[in-house]
Amino acid sequence: MHGTGLLYSSHNRSNYIHDHFIAQRALRGRDNKRILFLPMSAPPRGEDEHERQDYEWGTFRWFFDFYRPYGLEVVPFFWSSNLSHGDVDLLWHYLWSSEVVILGGGRSQTGMWRYKNLGHRFDGEWGKFGRILHERQARGLLTVGFSAGADQLSEHLFAHSRGPGVDTDGFGIARNVVVRLHHEASDNGELAHAAHALPQCMAFGLPNDAGLYLDQGVLPSGNHWQVIEFVLDNSWDLPRDQWHIKTRHGAKIEHVSWGGRHWSFNGGDRLVRVQSSDNRFHEAWLDTGDGLMHFWSGEPSSFGSIEQVLAAH
Protein backbone atom coordinates (compact mmCIF):
# COMPACT_ATOMS: atom_id res chain seq x y z
CA MET A 1 0.00 0.00 0.00
CA HIS A 2 1.34 3.43 -1.00
CA GLY A 3 -0.13 5.62 1.73
CA THR A 4 -0.50 9.38 1.49
CA GLY A 5 -1.32 9.98 5.17
CA LEU A 6 0.06 8.66 8.46
CA LEU A 7 -1.59 9.70 11.72
CA TYR A 8 0.13 8.35 14.80
CA SER A 9 0.77 8.60 18.52
CA SER A 10 4.09 7.65 20.11
CA HIS A 11 6.14 8.23 23.23
CA ASN A 12 9.50 8.37 21.47
CA ARG A 13 10.94 7.56 18.04
CA SER A 14 9.86 3.91 17.86
CA ASN A 15 11.74 2.23 15.06
CA TYR A 16 8.99 0.52 13.08
CA ILE A 17 6.91 3.65 12.52
CA HIS A 18 9.78 6.10 12.13
CA ASP A 19 12.06 3.91 10.03
CA HIS A 20 9.68 1.82 7.93
CA PHE A 21 6.94 4.37 7.29
CA ILE A 22 8.81 7.69 7.41
CA ALA A 23 12.59 7.55 6.87
CA GLN A 24 12.54 4.76 4.29
CA ARG A 25 9.69 6.42 2.45
CA ALA A 26 11.74 9.59 2.12
CA LEU A 27 14.81 7.65 0.99
CA ARG A 28 12.73 6.10 -1.80
CA GLY A 29 11.69 9.58 -2.95
CA ARG A 30 11.06 10.13 -6.63
CA ASP A 31 12.28 13.73 -6.85
CA ASN A 32 14.11 14.19 -3.53
CA LYS A 33 14.87 12.46 -0.25
CA ARG A 34 13.60 15.31 1.88
CA ILE A 35 11.54 15.40 5.06
CA LEU A 36 10.04 18.76 5.97
CA PHE A 37 9.48 18.91 9.73
CA LEU A 38 7.03 21.50 11.08
CA PRO A 39 7.06 22.04 14.87
CA MET A 40 4.63 24.97 14.61
CA SER A 41 2.10 23.47 17.03
CA ALA A 42 4.54 23.90 19.92
CA PRO A 43 3.14 26.89 21.86
CA PRO A 44 5.38 29.78 22.94
CA ARG A 45 6.78 29.98 26.45
CA GLY A 46 6.29 33.58 27.45
CA GLU A 47 7.78 35.80 24.75
CA ASP A 48 10.02 33.02 23.38
CA GLU A 49 8.48 31.69 20.15
CA HIS A 50 11.43 29.43 19.39
CA GLU A 51 12.22 27.37 22.50
CA ARG A 52 9.36 24.83 22.44
CA GLN A 53 9.61 24.44 18.67
CA ASP A 54 13.32 23.74 18.99
CA TYR A 55 12.60 21.16 21.70
CA GLU A 56 9.99 19.44 19.51
CA TRP A 57 12.42 19.35 16.60
CA GLY A 58 15.15 17.93 18.86
CA THR A 59 13.01 14.91 19.76
CA PHE A 60 13.11 13.92 16.06
CA ARG A 61 16.47 15.30 14.94
CA TRP A 62 18.62 12.67 16.68
CA PHE A 63 16.70 9.84 14.99
CA PHE A 64 16.90 11.25 11.49
CA ASP A 65 20.61 12.01 11.91
CA PHE A 66 21.27 8.27 11.53
CA TYR A 67 19.98 8.44 7.94
CA ARG A 68 21.89 11.46 6.70
CA PRO A 69 24.82 9.32 5.42
CA TYR A 70 22.29 7.58 3.15
CA GLY A 71 21.18 10.84 1.59
CA LEU A 72 18.27 11.82 3.81
CA GLU A 73 17.65 15.56 3.90
CA VAL A 74 15.64 16.89 6.83
CA VAL A 75 14.51 20.52 6.87
CA PRO A 76 12.84 22.00 9.97
CA PHE A 77 10.81 25.17 9.51
CA PHE A 78 9.83 27.20 12.59
CA TRP A 79 6.97 29.61 13.08
CA SER A 80 7.92 33.20 13.81
CA SER A 81 5.86 36.35 13.96
CA ASN A 82 8.71 37.98 11.99
CA LEU A 83 8.74 35.70 8.96
CA SER A 84 9.30 37.48 5.66
CA HIS A 85 7.53 36.88 2.38
CA GLY A 86 10.65 35.16 1.12
CA ASP A 87 10.69 32.84 4.14
CA VAL A 88 7.10 31.79 3.54
CA ASP A 89 7.63 31.34 -0.21
CA LEU A 90 10.38 28.88 0.74
CA LEU A 91 7.96 27.10 3.08
CA TRP A 92 5.41 26.72 0.27
CA HIS A 93 8.14 25.28 -1.96
CA TYR A 94 9.19 22.72 0.65
CA LEU A 95 5.59 21.91 1.51
CA TRP A 96 4.74 21.29 -2.14
CA SER A 97 7.83 19.30 -3.09
CA SER A 98 9.14 17.35 -0.08
CA GLU A 99 8.69 13.60 -0.29
CA VAL A 100 7.52 13.53 3.34
CA VAL A 101 6.07 16.32 5.47
CA ILE A 102 5.65 15.91 9.24
CA LEU A 103 3.29 18.06 11.30
CA GLY A 104 4.73 17.83 14.80
CA GLY A 105 3.24 17.76 18.28
CA GLY A 106 2.19 20.43 20.73
CA ARG A 107 -1.20 22.11 20.95
CA SER A 108 -3.49 21.35 18.02
CA GLN A 109 -5.24 24.71 17.86
CA THR A 110 -1.97 26.65 18.12
CA GLY A 111 -0.68 24.90 15.02
CA MET A 112 -3.93 25.18 13.08
CA TRP A 113 -4.05 28.93 13.61
CA ARG A 114 -0.42 29.33 12.56
CA TYR A 115 -0.72 27.18 9.43
CA LYS A 116 -3.84 29.02 8.30
CA ASN A 117 -2.51 32.44 9.28
CA LEU A 118 0.55 32.04 7.04
CA GLY A 119 -1.67 31.60 4.00
CA HIS A 120 -3.87 34.53 4.98
CA ARG A 121 -1.09 36.91 5.99
CA PHE A 122 1.16 36.39 2.98
CA ASP A 123 -1.20 35.30 0.20
CA GLY A 124 -4.72 36.28 1.31
CA GLU A 125 -5.78 32.60 1.44
CA TRP A 126 -6.64 31.09 4.82
CA GLY A 127 -6.86 27.63 3.25
CA LYS A 128 -3.58 27.68 1.34
CA PHE A 129 -1.71 25.32 3.67
CA GLY A 130 -4.53 22.74 3.57
CA ARG A 131 -4.92 23.09 -0.19
CA ILE A 132 -1.26 22.24 -0.70
CA LEU A 133 -1.60 19.22 1.61
CA HIS A 134 -4.43 17.89 -0.56
CA GLU A 135 -2.42 18.56 -3.72
CA ARG A 136 0.40 16.54 -2.15
CA GLN A 137 -2.04 13.71 -1.48
CA ALA A 138 -3.29 13.74 -5.07
CA ARG A 139 0.35 13.44 -6.24
CA GLY A 140 1.01 10.43 -3.98
CA LEU A 141 3.28 12.19 -1.48
CA LEU A 142 3.16 11.32 2.22
CA THR A 143 2.00 13.75 4.90
CA VAL A 144 2.54 12.61 8.50
CA GLY A 145 0.83 13.84 11.63
CA PHE A 146 2.46 13.14 14.99
CA SER A 147 0.33 13.75 18.09
CA ALA A 148 -1.19 17.21 17.53
CA GLY A 149 -0.30 16.78 13.86
CA ALA A 150 -2.46 13.64 13.69
CA ASP A 151 -5.33 15.61 15.18
CA GLN A 152 -4.83 18.29 12.52
CA LEU A 153 -4.76 15.88 9.57
CA SER A 154 -8.15 14.47 10.62
CA GLU A 155 -11.51 15.80 9.43
CA HIS A 156 -11.86 17.66 12.74
CA LEU A 157 -9.75 18.11 15.81
CA PHE A 158 -10.99 15.68 18.44
CA ALA A 159 -11.98 18.68 20.58
CA HIS A 160 -14.59 19.51 17.92
CA SER A 161 -16.79 16.70 19.26
CA ARG A 162 -17.09 18.50 22.60
CA GLY A 163 -17.08 22.10 21.49
CA PRO A 164 -16.96 23.16 17.83
CA GLY A 165 -15.24 26.50 17.50
CA VAL A 166 -12.45 28.45 15.90
CA ASP A 167 -9.77 26.24 14.33
CA THR A 168 -11.40 22.92 15.28
CA ASP A 169 -11.80 21.81 11.66
CA GLY A 170 -8.91 19.68 10.46
CA PHE A 171 -7.26 19.39 7.07
CA GLY A 172 -9.12 16.21 6.07
CA ILE A 173 -6.11 14.26 4.84
CA ALA A 174 -7.96 11.49 6.68
CA ARG A 175 -11.47 12.24 5.41
CA ASN A 176 -14.24 11.76 7.97
CA VAL A 177 -11.82 10.40 10.56
CA VAL A 178 -11.17 11.77 14.05
CA VAL A 179 -8.48 10.44 16.36
CA ARG A 180 -7.88 10.53 20.09
CA LEU A 181 -4.16 10.53 20.89
CA HIS A 182 -2.37 8.64 23.69
CA HIS A 183 -5.59 6.67 24.09
CA GLU A 184 -6.38 3.88 26.55
CA ALA A 185 -9.34 1.52 26.29
CA SER A 186 -10.70 2.83 29.61
CA ASP A 187 -11.43 6.09 27.78
CA ASN A 188 -13.58 4.53 25.05
CA GLY A 189 -16.50 6.63 26.29
CA GLU A 190 -14.79 9.60 24.63
CA LEU A 191 -14.84 7.72 21.32
CA ALA A 192 -18.53 6.92 21.77
CA HIS A 193 -19.31 10.59 22.40
CA ALA A 194 -17.36 11.65 19.30
CA ALA A 195 -19.17 9.04 17.21
CA HIS A 196 -22.55 10.47 18.26
CA ALA A 197 -21.45 14.07 17.79
CA LEU A 198 -19.88 13.41 14.37
CA PRO A 199 -21.90 10.59 12.78
CA GLN A 200 -20.25 10.94 9.37
CA CYS A 201 -16.85 10.26 10.97
CA MET A 202 -15.17 7.18 12.38
CA ALA A 203 -13.48 7.82 15.73
CA PHE A 204 -10.27 5.93 16.55
CA GLY A 205 -8.26 5.81 19.78
CA LEU A 206 -4.51 5.64 19.12
CA PRO A 207 -2.39 4.33 22.01
CA ASN A 208 1.37 4.84 22.16
CA ASP A 209 2.82 3.55 19.74
CA ALA A 210 0.19 3.15 17.02
CA GLY A 211 -1.15 4.83 13.92
CA LEU A 212 -3.35 4.91 10.85
CA TYR A 213 -1.61 4.62 7.47
CA LEU A 214 -4.03 5.53 4.71
CA ASP A 215 -4.81 6.55 1.18
CA GLN A 216 -8.01 8.02 -0.22
CA GLY A 217 -9.55 9.56 -3.30
CA VAL A 218 -12.67 9.85 -5.45
CA LEU A 219 -14.06 7.00 -7.58
CA PRO A 220 -15.46 7.52 -11.11
CA SER A 221 -18.94 7.28 -9.53
CA GLY A 222 -18.20 10.33 -7.41
CA ASN A 223 -18.05 8.27 -4.21
CA HIS A 224 -15.12 8.82 -1.87
CA TRP A 225 -12.90 5.85 -1.08
CA GLN A 226 -10.46 5.36 1.77
CA VAL A 227 -8.21 2.48 2.77
CA ILE A 228 -6.75 2.49 6.28
CA GLU A 229 -3.99 0.15 7.45
CA PHE A 230 -3.73 -0.10 11.23
CA VAL A 231 -0.19 0.11 12.60
CA LEU A 232 0.94 -1.21 15.99
CA ASP A 233 4.58 -0.71 16.94
CA ASN A 234 6.22 -2.34 19.96
CA SER A 235 9.81 -1.86 18.80
CA TRP A 236 10.80 0.80 21.37
CA ASP A 237 12.48 -1.18 24.14
CA LEU A 238 14.21 1.33 26.43
CA PRO A 239 13.41 -0.12 29.89
CA ARG A 240 12.63 3.20 31.55
CA ASP A 241 9.96 3.92 28.91
CA GLN A 242 8.11 0.61 29.11
CA TRP A 243 5.12 2.03 30.97
CA HIS A 244 4.50 4.60 28.22
CA ILE A 245 4.51 2.15 25.30
CA LYS A 246 0.96 0.87 25.52
CA THR A 247 1.30 -1.41 22.49
CA ARG A 248 3.86 -3.45 24.46
CA HIS A 249 1.15 -4.05 27.06
CA GLY A 250 -1.30 -5.38 24.49
CA ALA A 251 -3.12 -2.14 23.64
CA LYS A 252 -4.79 -2.03 20.24
CA ILE A 253 -6.38 0.71 18.18
CA GLU A 254 -9.87 1.27 19.57
CA HIS A 255 -13.04 2.23 17.72
CA VAL A 256 -16.61 2.86 18.82
CA SER A 257 -19.22 3.46 16.11
CA TRP A 258 -22.25 5.78 16.19
CA GLY A 259 -24.37 2.67 16.85
CA GLY A 260 -22.27 1.72 19.87
CA ARG A 261 -20.36 -1.11 18.19
CA HIS A 262 -16.87 -1.56 19.61
CA TRP A 263 -13.84 -2.90 17.75
CA SER A 264 -10.15 -3.27 18.62
CA PHE A 265 -7.88 -3.31 15.56
CA ASN A 266 -4.68 -5.32 15.26
CA GLY A 267 -1.61 -4.22 13.40
CA GLY A 268 -1.94 -5.10 9.71
CA ASP A 269 -5.75 -5.01 9.68
CA ARG A 270 -7.08 -2.96 6.78
CA LEU A 271 -10.37 -1.12 6.53
CA VAL A 272 -11.87 0.06 3.24
CA ARG A 273 -14.58 2.73 3.33
CA VAL A 274 -16.85 4.08 0.60
CA GLN A 275 -18.92 7.20 1.24
CA SER A 276 -21.03 9.42 -0.96
CA SER A 277 -20.00 13.05 -1.24
CA ASP A 278 -22.98 14.08 0.91
CA ASN A 279 -22.08 11.40 3.53
CA ARG A 280 -25.53 9.79 3.37
CA PHE A 281 -24.05 6.54 2.06
CA HIS A 282 -21.30 4.93 4.12
CA GLU A 283 -20.14 1.34 3.78
CA ALA A 284 -17.05 -0.32 5.20
CA TRP A 285 -15.29 -3.67 4.95
CA LEU A 286 -12.51 -5.09 7.11
CA ASP A 287 -9.64 -7.26 5.89
CA THR A 288 -7.86 -9.12 8.70
CA GLY A 289 -6.02 -11.47 6.35
CA ASP A 290 -8.80 -14.10 6.26
CA GLY A 291 -11.01 -12.48 3.64
CA LEU A 292 -13.24 -9.43 3.76
CA MET A 293 -15.95 -8.89 6.35
CA HIS A 294 -18.74 -6.35 6.04
CA PHE A 295 -17.83 -4.09 8.92
CA TRP A 296 -21.26 -2.95 10.06
CA SER A 297 -22.92 -6.38 10.05
CA GLY A 298 -19.93 -8.57 10.87
CA GLU A 299 -20.91 -10.96 8.07
CA PRO A 300 -18.45 -12.38 5.50
CA SER A 301 -18.42 -10.30 2.33
CA SER A 302 -19.08 -11.49 -1.19
CA PHE A 303 -16.20 -9.27 -2.32
CA GLY A 304 -12.92 -11.08 -2.61
CA SER A 305 -10.61 -8.09 -2.30
CA ILE A 306 -10.43 -4.38 -1.57
CA GLU A 307 -9.94 -3.78 -5.29
CA GLN A 308 -13.27 -5.50 -6.01
CA VAL A 309 -15.01 -3.31 -3.44
CA LEU A 310 -13.72 -0.15 -5.08
CA ALA A 311 -14.54 -1.37 -8.60
CA ALA A 312 -18.15 -2.05 -7.57
CA HIS A 313 -18.79 1.40 -6.09
Side-chain angles (χ1 to χ4, degrees):
M1 176 177 166
H2 187 80
T4 55
L6 173 64
L7 285 61
Y8 78 102
S9 175
S10 74
H11 174 67
N12 211 313
R13 306 289 74 83
S14 51
N15 196 63
Y16 179 53
I17 288 176
H18 295 86
D19 173 79
H20 178 74
F21 288 96
I22 300 176
Q24 296 301 329
R25 175 63 173 268
L27 290 172
R28 296 194 302 269
R30 295 168 295 184
D31 299 318
N32 58 73
K33 299 179 180 181
R34 184 190 313 122
I35 296 174
L36 171 64
F37 184 83
L38 300 174
M40 294 188 187
S41 294
R45 179 171 291 178
E47 299 298 317
D48 192 333
E49 296 178 325
H50 185 271
E51 179 193 2
R52 296 307 298 173
Q53 292 183 80
D54 189 56
Y55 171 81
E56 183 73 16
W57 161 230
T59 66
F60 281 79
R61 179 178 54 216
W62 68 268
F63 184 87
F64 291 136
D65 279 348
F66 289 110
Y67 298 86
R68 292 184 187 274
Y70 303 99
L72 184 69
E73 177 189 5
V74 187
V75 176
F77 196 101
F78 291 13
W79 160 270
S80 169
S81 56
N82 296 316
L83 289 171
S84 69
H85 211 298
D87 294 330
V88 178
D89 283 345
L90 184 61
L91 171 63
W92 301 142
H93 166 71
Y94 283 140
L95 189 65
W96 167 263
S97 62
S98 296
E99 187 67 24
V100 177
V101 170
I102 302 176
L103 277 59
R107 184 174 181 272
S108 299
Q109 286 174 284
T110 297
M112 288 302 293
W113 184 86
R114 287 173 169 177
Y115 295 137
K116 293 177 181 179
N117 175 263
L118 288 174
H120 172 68
R121 180 154 49 114
F122 290 94
D123 295 282
E125 182 186 353
W126 275 102
K128 182 168 184 174
F129 189 95
R131 173 173 60 78
I132 294 175
L133 293 188
H134 280 273
E135 291 170 357
R136 289 177 51 79
Q137 187 166 59
R139 291 158 53 226
L141 299 178
L142 178 64
T143 303
V144 177
F146 161 69
S147 193
D151 206 20
Q152 293 157 350
L153 293 184
S154 304
E155 187 71 27
H156 305 284
L157 305 188
F158 197 81
H160 186 91
S161 65
R162 290 286 183 184
V166 178
D167 295 322
T168 59
D169 286 330
F171 290 121
I173 293 300
R175 183 181 187 270
N176 284 347
V177 165
V178 293
V179 294
R180 188 172 189 272
L181 287 307
H182 314 293
H183 183 76
E184 298 189 34
S186 59
D187 295 323
N188 278 354
E190 290 296 315
L191 299 181
H193 178 86
H196 281 283
L198 304 166
Q200 77 280 14
C201 293
M202 293 186 75
F204 299 100
L206 302 181
N208 292 339
D209 294 346
L212 310 178
Y213 183 60
L214 63 96
D215 196 12
Q216 63 185 31
V218 181
L219 296 167
S221 64
N223 288 328
H224 292 259
W225 66 271
Q226 183 181 73
V227 177
I228 300 173
E229 178 180 332
F230 298 91
V231 178
L232 297 182
D233 183 354
N234 60 9
S235 62
W236 186 258
D237 59 0
L238 197 64
R240 69 170 181 263
D241 287 341
Q242 292 304 303
W243 183 84
H244 298 281
I245 313 304
K246 302 305 181 182
T247 54
R248 293 182 70 91
H249 300 284
K252 299 180 181 182
I253 295 173
E254 299 289 324
H255 167 68
V256 179
S257 75
W258 57 267
R261 187 167 182 267
H262 166 253
W263 194 273
S264 297
F265 294 98
N266 294 300
D269 289 352
R270 293 197 299 169
L271 185 73
V272 56
R273 304 170 70 197
V274 178
Q275 290 182 287
S276 60
S277 59
D278 63 6
N279 297 320
R280 293 182 180 181
F281 173 82
H282 183 189
E283 288 286 9
W285 294 261
L286 179 64
D287 180 3
T288 61
D290 297 318
L292 291 185
M293 177 188 77
H294 183 251
F295 187 67
W296 307 124
S297 69
E299 297 295 326
S301 173
S302 59
F303 295 113
S305 67
I306 289 176
E307 290 74 16
Q308 287 184 12
V309 169
L310 298 182
H313 290 85

